[in-house]
Amino acid sequence: QEGEIMHHCVFTNEYYKKKDTLILSARIGKKHVETVEVNLKTLSIVQSRGVCNQNTEYHERIIGLVTMNLIRQKLTA
């Protein structure tokens, strides 16, 4: 559904099947804004893309929020 809504290849390229990968859907309310791929082994962001693989006006804020939460995970691990 995420790939269809966002018109990108998260499903067709099977990113969701990659080992140690988490796919997140960044949303404002019910509106999908960007899809975020996180490497669980390194706790780093691999990519974050909006509709048709474009960055959105919220891109930097999304990256910042996800990064902040990943750092918290590293500190509490």
Side-chain angles (χ1 to χ4, degrees), residues 1-11 15 22-27 32-38 45-56 59 62-63 66:
Q1 287 179 332
E2 185 77 8
E4 288 178 16
I5 291 167
M6 300 299 285
H7 302 284
H8 57 46
C9 59
V10 69
F11 180 74
Y15 290 113
L22 176 66
I23 304 296
L24 303 172
S25 179
R27 301 177 188 191
H32 294 248
V33 179
E34 290 194 16
T35 306
V36 184
E37 179 184 357
V38 177
I45 298 170
V46 176
Q47 60 181 330
S48 183
R49 299 287 181 252
V51 172
C52 297
N53 289 321
Q54 300 297 309
N55 290 345
T56 67
H59 181 75
I62 291 167
I63 296 295
V66 174

